[in-house]
């Protein structure tokens, strides 16, 4: 049977080939084959191979081919004549009223099968025009949507049509508007209907894409995601809301508007950065939280700038109103910290969500006036909470970021943060971004502040759908919030809601916007508030009565009045009420002045050292680089002599903490290998792509997790992320390493506004550790200095105050009182103890460490196991242990220094034979300044009249201006120390290697001048 069938299907040559392949009878005559071919409209010489393959598959299993092929081959096998077995696809356009399909005009063949006449070119063009029309609305409908409540830039109908439809309607006239067209599978405007008149198609597309919602999503390269959005935007009736939903929405608007109007009446001259004009944000956020909570989310981490923050605190987090109102009363602070203005404060609450009847946690991260600076902090905090919960898909914890329009398009950290969204070690599995679009930035028109059509265009880089919505259409806002929450839960990707609204007042409540925007603010002052508009709409619809509406408004007014009276009884305010990252149980039962020693057992040191110095256990199957094997062999040699270099000390600090159940996370650019190829915590198979092995993840069967991750080429965003990560759990060592120390320049906002001052402003501790490679090594201006002087300037210590602490508590009391720790260590053992001390302290402080470059491999930068064993600890000052230190009376000059320059000074001292004449003392910790230890060293050499501070940095850089007044305080004398080093310079270092060597030689010569 099949021999004859296939031979009839194919041209003579191919038919003969197939017949021979299947050992068939000779093919039919060529003339018959030619007649069969001409009768089959789909059959050509190029398609014959494909037909043959389909037929062979059908012979084996008819269900393995498409139903159309199954029907065709079945007809042929049943004896259908050439041309009679082929049935053309269904008509793309259903017949208009009173007409029949083209195929109906063709007489059936003798076998009862249609001959399959094709539609005309005009019919095909009309259908393609309709399909193009639908796609045009999907792509460009947002450009003419009625998004602006002020209707300042409303486009004429003709312009709108040209923007969206372009030429797709030119082939149709008014009579064609009632023709019925089959709807393509790429749209849901038909609902259950498969065909619609052209007029209705256009109407439904207008309703879906050109009213109060404008959607950007067609750039998403995932068909499933695009169809998912279309269904929720295009399906008829999707915007319908029940009476109960409308009543809830009205009540939430009443609370949002009522809060702002109450503050405006009570504190009319106070800055509060109210939400007037954008009050719909509150019900929008509540709806997102409701929907997400119903889907299983238990914790929400939120970030926002100052506008509307008080309203969010009051109506989203339900922060006690009396605490908010007390912030307006200028009361004294009862606890630690200098505090912050009320519209920068954060909070943390746990409460019952009344819609879902589930408990939820909500945190709003404190934020400075740097509008988008909290974005990466929120993401890091969210990621950390997901990590510690084991929430690998983000089903339990999510982030919500609120933005202003000008900031979202103008501040680079927005891109840096969004760019982290899909990176494995940084993703939070989808963030909902809400832009409160005031259509103005302070006093600047958006046409002067961005080059893109929308403020949200940055989100397109990660294929995030963007929903623009008119802020004065609250039901439309709720609909896009519903979609956004469901999108995030379904696809775990970012999504943006752009609420186009306005700012009823100026930049703040006492600012006059008419100076710069008279046209806009004439419109604003003539625009009724959203509560008035929506209440009138619902009253007209009969959803609520006017009395019911007034009852809702009065009820919240009474709540505010009661809270205000309660706030007047407060005599103090507490910064601790505004903590956004509480560490439950961490401080309880701990003596803040007691800390264990940081050393560990030698067995632990040796075990960790051997693991990180060995190839993977399956070394015969895991081929590592030969150069790496040499590194591992060198480590083994050090271990055999009970010595460690910088990389081994770090691995031992990390490994010992992991053994103790402490999570360690190291992040930054190229940290897996290390900028200077010294770390190699991740080994790569040389023959298998992406096959890696991390020894520190396989030290002990019950160890904590070790996370090491190369970051994107970002400092601001990634450092902010790691700061946020460190805020969630105090029992974790979180480190960020800069590729070079000076690269932290681009993260200065995080350093200044969060790390240095976070505890003082927001009573928020962090143990974040910054590793900043630092040292003058002839590498030029940009790869030399980590700007040590800037960090020291940020330290809060008084240079003229010698703390009267007891000797055994001096160091830890200083640490408890300081705002951050700055160290410039010279020995691997110092690094080891500093890292472990970060966790063993009974509190948390940021650590800024000037990390080494040359010292990573310097033969003298080695430490013995004896300096890291049990009972040992970090030494803030390293005294001279050579001949000078043993015979202090013979010393003629006392040199203090910090960092790498010590080894250059030591080498020159040996070359000059001045080991007994010059004592060299190292300050491993610069801040808090070790007043007591420095005084001991000064007292040890009472006969020395020449005390020198030697540094490799320029005089206006480095530690000199920081240490000079502190030396005088320690010695209780003026001019106790003089400077030796490079002269002042605008650039951190020279770009000339020769100049560098000349400057270094001058430094060394001046240090020992007059002694030989």
């Amino acid at each position: 049977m099949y021999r004859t069938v296939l031979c009839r299907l194919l041209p003579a040559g191919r038919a003969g080939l197939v017949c021979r392949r299947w050992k068939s009878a000779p093919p039919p005559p060529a003339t018959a084959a030619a007649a069969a071919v001409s009768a089959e409209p789909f059959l050509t010489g190029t398609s014959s191979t494909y037909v043959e393959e389909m037929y062979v598959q059908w012979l084996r299993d008819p269900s393995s081919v498409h139903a159309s092929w199954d029907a065709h081959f079945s007809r042929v096998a049943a004896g259908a004549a050439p041309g009679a077995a082929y049935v053309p696809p269904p008509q793309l356009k259903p017949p208009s009223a009173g007409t029949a399909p083209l195929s109906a005009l063709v007489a059936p063949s003798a076998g009862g099968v249609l001959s399959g006449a094709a539609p005309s070119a005009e019919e095909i063009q009309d259908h393609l025009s309709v399909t193009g029309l639908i796609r045009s609305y999907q792509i460009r409908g947002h450009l003419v949507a009625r998004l602006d409540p002020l209707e300042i830039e409303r486009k004429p109908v003709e312009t709108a049509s040209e923007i969206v439809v372009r030429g797709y309607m030119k082939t149709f006239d008014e009579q064609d508007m009632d023709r019925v067209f089959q709807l393509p599978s790429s749209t849901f405007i038909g609902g259950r209907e498969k065909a619609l008149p052209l007029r209705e198609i256009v109407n439904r597309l207008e309703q879906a894409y050109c009213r109060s919602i404008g959607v950007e999503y067609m750039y998403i390269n995932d068909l499933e995601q695009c169809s998912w959005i279309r269904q929720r935007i295009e399906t008829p009736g999707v915007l319908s809301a029940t009476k109960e939903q409308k009543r809830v929405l009205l009540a939430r608007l009443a609370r949002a508007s009522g809060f702002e109007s109450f503050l405006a009446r009570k504190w009319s001259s106070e800055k509060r950065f109210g939400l007037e004009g954008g009050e719909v944000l509150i019900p929008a956020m509540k709806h997102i939280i409701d929907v997400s909570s119903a889907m299983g989310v238990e914790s929400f981490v939120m970030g926002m700038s100052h506008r509307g923050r008080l309203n969010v605190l009051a109506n989203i987090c339900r922060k006690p109103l009396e605490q908010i109102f007390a912030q307006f009363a200028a009361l004294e602070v009862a606890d630690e910290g200098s505090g912050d203005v009320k519209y920068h404060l954060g909070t943390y609450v746990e409460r019952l969500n009344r819609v879902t009847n589930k408990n939820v946690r909500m945190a709003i991260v404190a934020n400075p006036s740097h509008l988008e600076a909290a974005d990466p902090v929120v993401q890091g905090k969210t990621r950390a909470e997901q990590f510690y919960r084991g929430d690998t898909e983000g089903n339990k914890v999510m982030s919500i970021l609120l933005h202003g329009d000008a900031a979202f398009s103008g501040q680079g950290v927005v891109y840096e943060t969004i760019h982290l969204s899909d990176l494995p070690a940084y993703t939070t599995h989808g963030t909902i971004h809400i832009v409160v679009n005031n259509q103005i930035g302070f006093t600047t028109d958006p046409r002067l502040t961005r080059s893109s059509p929308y403020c949200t265009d940055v989100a397109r880089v990660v294929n995030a759908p963007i929903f623009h919505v008119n802020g004065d259409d609250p039901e439309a806002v709720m609909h896009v919030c519903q979609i956004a929450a469901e999108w995030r839960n379904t696809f775990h990707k970012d999504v943006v809601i752009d609420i186009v609204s306005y700012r009823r007042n100026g930049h703040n409540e006492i600012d006059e916007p008419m100076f710069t925007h008279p046209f806009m603010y004439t419109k604003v002052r003539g625009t009724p508030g959203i509560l008035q508009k929506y209440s009138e709409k619902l009253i007209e619809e009969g959803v609520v009565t006017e009395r019911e509406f007034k009852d809702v408004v009065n009820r919240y007014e009474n709540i505010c009045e009661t809270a205000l009276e309660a706030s007047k009884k407060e005599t103090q305010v507490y910064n601790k009420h505004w903590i956004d990252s509480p560490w439950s149980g961490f401080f309880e039962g701990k003596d803040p002045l007691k800390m264990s020693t940081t050393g560990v057992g030698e067995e632990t040191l040796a075990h960790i050292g051997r693991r990180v110095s060995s190839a993977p256990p399956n070394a015969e199957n895991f081929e590592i680089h030969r150069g790496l094997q040499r590194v591992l062999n060198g480590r083994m040699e050090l271990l055999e002599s009970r010595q460690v270099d910088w990389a081994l000390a770090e691995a031992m600090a990390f490994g010992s903490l992991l053994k103790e159940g402490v999570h360690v996370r190291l992040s930054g650019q190229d940290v897996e290998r290390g900028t200077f190829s010294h770390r190699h915590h991740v080994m790569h198979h040389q023959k298998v792509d992406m096959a890696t092995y991390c020894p520190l993840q396989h030290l002990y069967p019950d160890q904590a997790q070790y996370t090491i991750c190369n970051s994107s080429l970002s400092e601001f965003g990634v450092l902010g992320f790691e700061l946020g990560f460190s805020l969630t759990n105090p029992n974790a060592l979180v480190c960020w390493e800069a590729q070079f120390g000076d690269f932290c320049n681009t993260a200065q906002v995080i350093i200044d506004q969060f790390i240095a001052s976070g505890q003082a402003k927001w009573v928020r501790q962090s143990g974040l550790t910054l590793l900043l490679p630092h040292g003058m090594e002839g590498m030029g201006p940009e790869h030399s200095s980590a700007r040590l002087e800037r960090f020291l300037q940020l330290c809060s210590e008084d240079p003229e105050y010698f703390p009267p602490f007891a000797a055994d508590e001096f160091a830890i009391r200083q640490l408890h009182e300081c705002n951050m720790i700055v160290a410039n260590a010279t020995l691997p053992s110092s690094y080891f103890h500093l890292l472990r001390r970060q966790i063993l302290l009974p509190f948390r402080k940021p650590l800024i460490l000037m990390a080494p470059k040359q010292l990573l491999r310097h033969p003298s930068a080695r430490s013995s196991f004896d300096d890291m064993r049990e009972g040992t600890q970090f030494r803030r000052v390293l005294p001279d242990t050579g001949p000078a230190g043993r015979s202090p009376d013979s010393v003629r000059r006392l040199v203090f220094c910090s960092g790498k320059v010590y080894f250059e000074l030591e080498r020159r001292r040996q070359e000059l034979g001045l080991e007994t004449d010059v004592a060299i003392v190292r300050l491993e910790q610069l801040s808090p300044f070790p007043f007591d230890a420095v005084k001991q060293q000064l007292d040890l050499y009472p006969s020395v009249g020449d005390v020198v501070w030697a540094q490799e940095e320029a005089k206006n850089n480095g530690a000199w201006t920081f240490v000079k007044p502190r030396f005088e305080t320690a010695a209780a004398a003026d001019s106790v120390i003089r400077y030796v080093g490079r002269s002042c310079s605008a650039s951190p270092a020279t770009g000339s290697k020769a100049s560098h060597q000349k400057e270094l030689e001058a430094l060394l010569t001046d240090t020992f001048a007059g002694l030989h």
Side-chain angles (χ1 to χ4, degrees):
M1 170 71 71
Y2 65 85
R3 294 194 298 262
T4 307
V5 171
L6 190 55
C7 288
R8 282 212 310 268
L9 283 172
L10 300 175
R14 290 294 299 171
L17 176 61
V18 175
C19 289
R20 286 194 297 274
R21 179 182 298 173
W22 288 91
K23 296 182 173 61
S24 60
T31 54
V37 171
S38 64
E40 301 289 357
F42 63 90
L43 203 56
T44 67
T46 57
S47 65
S48 58
T49 301
Y50 175 67
V51 175
E52 175 186 340
E53 292 174 353
M54 290 295 100
Y55 181 67
V56 172
Q57 288 187 38
W58 178 77
L59 286 173
R60 293 173 179 165
D61 180 9
S63 65
S64 67
V65 300
H66 191 271
S68 61
W69 281 116
D70 182 29
H72 182 80
F73 292 137
S74 297
R75 291 189 184 97
V76 173
Y86 172 72
V87 178
Q91 294 292 318
L92 300 176
K93 177 174 66 69
S96 301
T99 66
L102 291 175
S103 58
L105 302 177
V106 182
S109 66
V113 182
L114 297 176
S115 65
S120 68
E122 182 181 352
E123 297 282 350
I124 293 174
Q125 183 59 49
D126 286 350
H127 174 80
L128 292 176
S129 293
V130 171
T131 302
L133 174 71
I134 293 171
R135 185 171 178 82
S136 293
Y137 274 95
Q138 293 170 341
I139 295 174
R140 295 184 294 275
H142 60 87
L143 295 173
V144 297
R146 300 172 184 173
L147 301 175
D148 184 4
L150 303 177
E151 296 188 344
I152 292 176
E153 288 192 30
R154 182 74 176 273
K155 296 179 176 65
V157 175
E158 297 78 10
T159 305
S161 177
E162 183 60 30
I163 290 173
V164 178
V165 179
R166 295 186 177 175
Y168 289 113
M169 291 293 288
K170 290 182 178 178
T171 59
F172 301 113
D173 54 27
E174 180 60 27
Q175 292 179 346
D176 291 316
M177 297 304 290
D178 294 321
R179 287 171 57 190
V180 177
F181 287 85
Q182 184 80 16
L183 296 173
S185 60
S186 59
T187 186
F188 293 87
I189 59 172
R192 295 183 179 180
E193 300 173 87
K194 302 302 181 184
L196 291 172
L198 180 56
R199 190 185 309 278
E200 185 62 18
I201 290 174
V202 173
N203 179 59
R204 294 193 184 187
L205 289 170
E206 288 279 336
Q207 293 292 334
Y209 290 105
C210 302
R211 293 297 187 265
S212 295
I213 300 173
V215 192
E216 293 184 89
Y217 69 99
M218 290 295 284
Y219 47 80
I220 297 175
N221 50 27
D222 186 296
L223 181 59
E224 178 193 359
Q225 294 176 9
C226 287
S227 295
W228 188 94
I229 293 172
R230 286 192 199 107
Q231 186 173 13
R232 284 155 179 79
I233 289 294
E234 296 179 354
T235 302
V238 290
L239 275 172
S240 300
T242 66
K243 284 189 176 183
E244 182 56 31
Q245 289 171 336
K246 293 179 180 180
R247 292 171 68 92
V248 169
L249 176 52
L250 180 64
R252 289 175 170 179
L253 278 174
R255 295 178 77 95
S257 300
F259 180 81
E260 298 296 349
S261 61
F262 185 84
L263 295 185
R265 291 196 309 273
K266 301 299 182 180
W267 297 281
S268 58
S269 61
E270 281 271 356
K271 289 183 182 180
R272 53 186 171 81
F273 296 95
L275 198 56
E276 291 96 332
E279 297 96 332
V280 76
L281 171 69
I282 300 304
M285 292 184 68
K286 291 178 80 69
H287 192 58
I288 288 171
I289 292 170
D290 292 345
V291 175
S292 301
S293 174
M295 294 176 176
V297 177
E298 299 172 353
S299 180
F300 300 86
V301 184
M302 296 173 280
M304 65 182 299
S305 58
H306 45 277
R307 188 165 309 286
R309 179 177 283 261
L310 295 181
N311 207 323
V312 171
L313 288 167
N315 286 311
I316 300 298
C317 298
R318 297 294 177 87
K319 186 76 176 173
L321 292 176
E322 54 269 27
Q323 291 184 11
I324 296 176
F325 295 160
Q327 290 288 324
F328 287 89
L331 301 176
E332 291 290 331
V333 176
D335 52 1
E336 65 171 302
S338 57
D340 200 349
V341 293
K342 49 191 167 291
Y343 39 81
H344 287 172
L345 300 175
T347 196
Y348 172 88
V349 297
E350 296 186 33
R351 69 175 184 84
L352 180 69
N353 183 295
R354 296 174 183 173
V355 173
T356 61
N357 203 33
K358 294 180 179 180
N359 284 321
V360 295
R361 300 177 181 179
M362 289 185 284
I364 296 183
V365 173
N367 193 49
S369 286
H370 299 69
L371 302 176
E372 301 289 341
D375 293 357
V377 180
V378 169
Q379 299 299 69
K381 183 174 167 59
T382 304
R383 171 71 182 208
E385 192 168 338
Q386 291 172 348
F387 174 84
Y388 295 118
R389 281 171 167 249
D391 184 14
T392 57
E393 295 183 355
N395 293 321
K396 300 297 182 183
V397 184
M398 67 174 284
S399 55
I400 302 174
L401 287 176
L402 277 62
H403 312 271
D405 50 316
F408 197 65
S409 62
Q411 299 201 348
V413 70
V414 174
Y415 174 80
E416 291 189 38
T417 304
I418 286 180
H419 196 57
L420 299 175
S421 63
D422 276 340
L423 302 186
Y426 302 88
T427 180
T428 58
H429 308 286
T431 296
I432 297 180
H433 301 266
I434 305 175
V435 179
V436 182
N437 189 341
N438 294 318
Q439 307 183 75
I440 190 172
F442 202 159
T443 67
T444 306
D445 191 293
R447 292 170 292 187
L448 305 177
T449 60
R450 65 173 186 262
S451 300
S452 58
Y454 295 110
C455 62
T456 54
D457 285 342
V458 65
R460 294 167 66 106
V461 300
V462 293
N463 280 335
I466 302 170
F467 298 92
H468 308 281
V469 59
N470 189 316
D472 269 8
D473 187 343
E475 292 177 19
V477 174
M478 296 309 105
H479 181 58
V480 299
C481 289
Q482 178 87 24
I483 297 174
E486 292 176 353
W487 165 275
R488 193 266 171 193
N489 183 71
T490 303
F491 298 107
H492 296 285
K493 298 178 73 68
D494 284 23
V495 57
V496 177
I497 302 170
D498 176 23
I499 303 177
V500 183
S501 53
Y502 56 90
R503 194 184 63 196
R504 187 164 289 278
N505 301 308
H507 179 63
N508 56 60
E509 286 68 28
I510 58 177
D511 184 52
E512 176 51 73
M514 291 289 284
F515 286 149
T516 54
H517 289 79
F519 179 70
M520 173 185 247
Y521 274 87
T522 299
K523 284 267 193 179
V524 168
R525 290 172 183 177
T527 302
I530 185 174
L531 182 60
Q532 178 184 338
K533 286 182 179 180
Y534 193 57
S535 62
E536 290 174 353
K537 177 178 180 291
L538 295 194
I539 291 171
E540 183 179 345
E541 292 178 359
V543 175
V544 296
T545 65
E546 187 170 351
R547 181 183 182 88
E548 288 174 328
F549 168 62
K550 289 182 178 179
D551 286 344
V552 170
V553 172
N554 292 336
R555 191 180 309 121
Y556 188 68
E557 176 75 14
N558 292 335
I559 291 172
C560 291
E561 287 288 355
T562 302
L564 178 60
E565 291 304 313
S567 72
K568 292 177 180 178
K569 299 176 183 178
E570 299 289 338
T571 58
Q572 295 175 313
V573 293
Y574 294 83
N575 289 329
K576 66 182 180 181
H577 290 165
W578 303 88
I579 295 177
D580 57 22
S581 304
W583 293 337
S584 178
F586 174 70
F587 299 103
E588 283 76 5
K590 289 185 179 180
D591 186 336
L593 300 179
K594 296 292 182 184
M595 183 186 73
S596 304
T597 55
T598 48
V600 299
E602 185 166 342
E603 180 182 346
T604 299
L605 297 175
H607 172 76
I608 297 169
R610 286 192 298 270
R611 282 298 180 93
V612 299
S613 303
S614 304
N618 58 336
E620 65 280 2
N621 299 321
F622 194 106
E623 183 178 340
I624 63 174
H625 194 278
R626 287 180 297 176
L628 176 56
Q629 187 60 59
R630 289 194 295 271
V631 172
L632 300 181
N633 294 340
R635 290 179 181 176
M636 277 295 189
E637 293 175 3
L638 282 173
L639 292 173
E640 290 172 1
S641 62
R642 299 181 67 252
Q643 295 280 313
V644 298
D645 62 6
W646 212 270
L648 274 172
E650 178 185 76
M652 291 174 178
F654 287 172
S656 58
L657 290 173
L658 294 170
K659 180 185 179 184
E660 295 164 12
V662 175
H663 172 55
V664 177
R665 177 181 170 94
L666 174 59
S667 167
Q669 295 158 21
D670 311 298
V671 296
E672 294 180 3
R673 190 202 73 172
T675 300
F676 309 100
S677 197
H678 70 288
R679 182 173 289 122
H680 296 290
H681 281 192
V682 178
M683 303 178 186
H684 290 260
H685 198 305
Q686 295 300 295
K687 297 294 178 63
V688 181
D689 185 37
M690 300 298 289
T692 60
Y693 175 75
C694 179
L696 285 175
Q697 293 175 347
H698 304 281
L699 297 174
Y700 302 95
D702 57 348
Q703 70 173 69
Q705 185 168 335
Y706 176 54
T707 302
I708 183 167
C709 42
N710 290 338
S711 74
S712 66
L713 206 64
S714 156
E715 289 82 31
F716 192 164
V718 174
L719 179 57
F721 187 98
E722 301 307 331
L723 172 67
F725 203 102
S726 74
L727 299 177
T728 299
N729 181 4
N731 295 311
L733 179 63
V734 181
C735 305
W736 176 75
E737 181 176 74
Q739 193 176 67
F740 287 91
D742 58 309
F743 288 4
C744 71
N745 284 351
T746 58
Q748 201 67 43
V749 171
I750 297 296
I751 294 166
D752 291 353
Q753 311 302 325
F754 292 86
I755 294 175
S757 57
Q759 183 175 356
K761 293 190 295 187
W762 307 316
V763 204
R764 184 173 71 188
Q765 295 189 17
S766 168
L768 180 65
T769 297
L770 273 62
L771 307 176
L772 309 177
H774 173 82
M776 306 296 115
E777 298 172 3
M779 298 182 71
E782 271 69 60
H783 288 147
S784 297
S785 175
R787 292 296 190 176
L788 171 63
E789 63 279 357
R790 293 183 181 173
F791 291 98
L792 293 174
Q793 185 186 40
L794 291 171
C795 294
S796 59
E797 180 183 75
D798 186 344
E800 299 176 354
Y801 178 69
F802 195 124
F805 301 148
D808 60 340
E809 295 181 347
F810 197 96
I812 194 166
R813 277 190 176 273
Q814 275 195 305
L815 292 173
H816 185 269
E817 299 299 323
C818 77
N819 63 318
M820 61 183 186
I821 306 163
V822 180
N824 192 12
T826 59
L827 289 179
S829 57
S830 295
Y831 183 39
F832 170 85
H833 288 297
L834 278 167
L835 291 175
R836 287 186 51 79
R837 189 179 73 174
Q838 283 296 95
I839 294 299
L840 294 177
L841 284 171
F843 44 82
R844 292 291 174 261
K845 301 288 179 177
L847 169 63
I848 314 299
L849 180 63
M850 301 294 109
K853 294 180 288 183
Q854 283 186 356
L855 296 191
L856 294 172
R857 295 179 177 82
H858 198 290
S860 298
R862 302 283 187 268
S863 293
S864 167
F865 279 15
D866 294 333
D867 297 325
M868 301 159 65
R869 293 173 57 185
E870 291 172 320
T872 61
Q873 59 186 353
F874 174 69
R875 293 179 294 169
R876 298 167 294 154
V877 173
L878 296 179
D880 193 318
T881 56
R886 293 192 294 270
S887 304
D889 292 337
S890 65
V891 173
R892 292 188 288 162
R893 182 171 296 165
L894 176 58
V895 177
F896 285 91
C897 66
S898 184
K900 175 185 69 70
V901 71
Y902 164 77
F903 295 96
E904 290 154 341
L905 294 169
E906 174 61 22
R907 186 182 72 250
R908 180 57 57 90
R909 180 173 68 170
Q910 292 177 6
E911 292 172 354
L912 296 175
L914 297 175
E915 289 91 336
T916 60
D917 299 276
V918 179
I920 305 178
V921 179
R922 288 171 273 176
L923 270 62
E924 298 287 273
Q925 177 179 295
L926 290 164
S927 180
F929 188 77
F931 287 100
D932 55 331
V934 167
K935 185 177 187 304
Q936 290 175 3
Q937 291 300 306
L938 292 171
D939 292 344
L940 182 63
Y941 304 94
S943 60
V944 175
D946 189 11
V947 181
V948 168
W949 174 262
Q951 69 176 36
E952 58 181 352
E953 301 89 354
K955 189 175 184 180
N956 58 320
N957 299 159
W960 167 242
T961 56
F962 179 84
V963 301
K964 181 179 183 296
R966 287 166 175 79
F967 268 98
E968 294 171 351
T969 299
D974 295 335
S975 304
V976 69
I977 192 168
R978 65 184 178 90
Y979 172 80
V980 170
R982 290 176 167 87
S983 57
C984 292
S985 172
S987 175
T990 177
S992 165
K993 191 76 172 179
S995 297
H996 166 77
Q997 292 295 342
K998 183 178 180 181
E999 292 171 355
L1000 177 60
E1001 181 61 30
L1003 184 161
L1004 298 175
T1005 299
D1006 292 348
T1007 301
F1008 299 100
L1011 296 177
H1012 58 282

